[in-house]
Amino acid sequence: MNQALVKVLVKAKELNKWVPASLLKKYDIQSVNLLELEESHLILTKRNKSEGLLLKLTLKGYHYFKQK
Protein backbone atom coordinates (compact mmCIF):
# COMPACT_ATOMS: atom_id res chain seq x y z
CA MET A 1 0.00 0.00 0.00
CA ASN A 2 1.17 3.51 -0.79
CA GLN A 3 3.01 5.04 2.21
CA ALA A 4 1.18 8.35 1.82
CA LEU A 5 -2.14 6.49 1.95
CA VAL A 6 -1.02 4.67 5.10
CA LYS A 7 -0.08 7.99 6.73
CA VAL A 8 -3.49 9.48 5.94
CA LEU A 9 -5.36 6.48 7.37
CA VAL A 10 -3.16 6.33 10.49
CA LYS A 11 -3.63 10.05 11.14
CA ALA A 12 -7.40 9.71 10.63
CA LYS A 13 -7.48 6.88 13.18
CA GLU A 14 -5.55 9.03 15.66
CA LEU A 15 -8.18 11.75 15.17
CA ASN A 16 -11.02 9.17 15.25
CA LYS A 17 -12.27 10.29 11.82
CA TRP A 18 -13.65 8.49 8.76
CA VAL A 19 -11.95 9.26 5.44
CA PRO A 20 -13.98 9.48 2.19
CA ALA A 21 -12.50 7.14 -0.41
CA SER A 22 -13.03 9.84 -3.02
CA LEU A 23 -10.35 11.95 -1.31
CA LEU A 24 -7.90 9.04 -1.47
CA LYS A 25 -7.93 8.65 -5.26
CA LYS A 26 -4.71 10.65 -5.57
CA TYR A 27 -3.08 8.06 -3.27
CA ASP A 28 -4.03 5.23 -5.66
CA ILE A 29 -6.75 3.73 -3.45
CA GLN A 30 -8.11 1.94 -6.55
CA SER A 31 -5.18 -0.50 -6.47
CA VAL A 32 -5.87 -1.53 -2.86
CA ASN A 33 -8.03 -4.58 -2.20
CA LEU A 34 -10.37 -3.12 0.44
CA LEU A 35 -12.33 -6.35 0.79
CA GLU A 36 -9.17 -8.24 1.72
CA LEU A 37 -8.25 -5.60 4.31
CA GLU A 38 -11.79 -5.70 5.70
CA GLU A 39 -11.77 -9.49 5.95
CA SER A 40 -8.43 -9.26 7.78
CA HIS A 41 -10.08 -6.83 10.23
CA LEU A 42 -7.60 -4.08 9.38
CA ILE A 43 -10.09 -1.55 7.99
CA LEU A 44 -13.75 -0.62 8.36
CA THR A 45 -15.90 0.61 5.50
CA LYS A 46 -19.32 2.24 5.48
CA ARG A 47 -21.50 4.02 2.95
CA ASN A 48 -22.75 7.54 3.37
CA LYS A 49 -25.33 9.18 1.09
CA SER A 50 -23.46 12.45 0.76
CA GLU A 51 -19.81 11.31 0.90
CA GLY A 52 -19.99 7.79 -0.57
CA LEU A 53 -17.60 5.13 0.71
CA LEU A 54 -15.86 5.97 4.00
CA LEU A 55 -12.79 4.21 5.41
CA LYS A 56 -11.33 3.92 8.89
CA LEU A 57 -8.60 1.72 10.31
CA THR A 58 -9.50 -0.69 13.08
CA LEU A 59 -7.30 -0.78 16.17
CA LYS A 60 -5.64 -3.88 14.74
CA GLY A 61 -5.10 -2.05 11.43
CA TYR A 62 -3.73 0.98 13.24
CA HIS A 63 -1.08 -1.08 15.03
CA TYR A 64 -0.29 -3.04 11.88
CA PHE A 65 0.25 0.01 9.68
CA LYS A 66 1.85 2.15 12.41
CA GLN A 67 4.74 -0.36 12.56
CA LYS A 68 5.44 -0.01 8.83
Side-chain angles (χ1 to χ4, degrees):
M1 187 184 306
N2 183 336
Q3 284 299 93
L5 176 59
V6 169
K7 286 182 182 181
V8 169
L9 291 173
V10 166
K11 187 64 175 177
K13 178 63 176 177
E14 291 171 351
L15 298 173
N16 196 27
K17 300 288 184 185
W18 290 86
V19 181
S22 60
L23 295 178
L24 300 175
K25 287 183 181 179
K26 65 181 175 184
Y27 300 112
D28 201 26
I29 190 71
Q30 299 88 345
S31 67
V32 177
N33 188 341
L34 295 176
L35 183 58
E36 184 179 304
L37 291 175
E38 196 170 20
E39 287 175 350
S40 299
H41 305 288
L42 297 176
I43 200 165
L44 299 171
T45 60
K46 74 175 183 178
R47 291 249 178 230
N48 183 298
K49 285 185 180 180
S50 62
E51 297 178 352
L53 182 66
L54 301 172
L55 307 172
K56 184 177 183 180
L57 290 178
T58 63
L59 189 56
K60 179 180 176 182
Y62 174 76
H63 289 295
Y64 177 80
F65 288 114
K66 183 78 172 175
Q67 293 175 356
K68 289 189 169 195

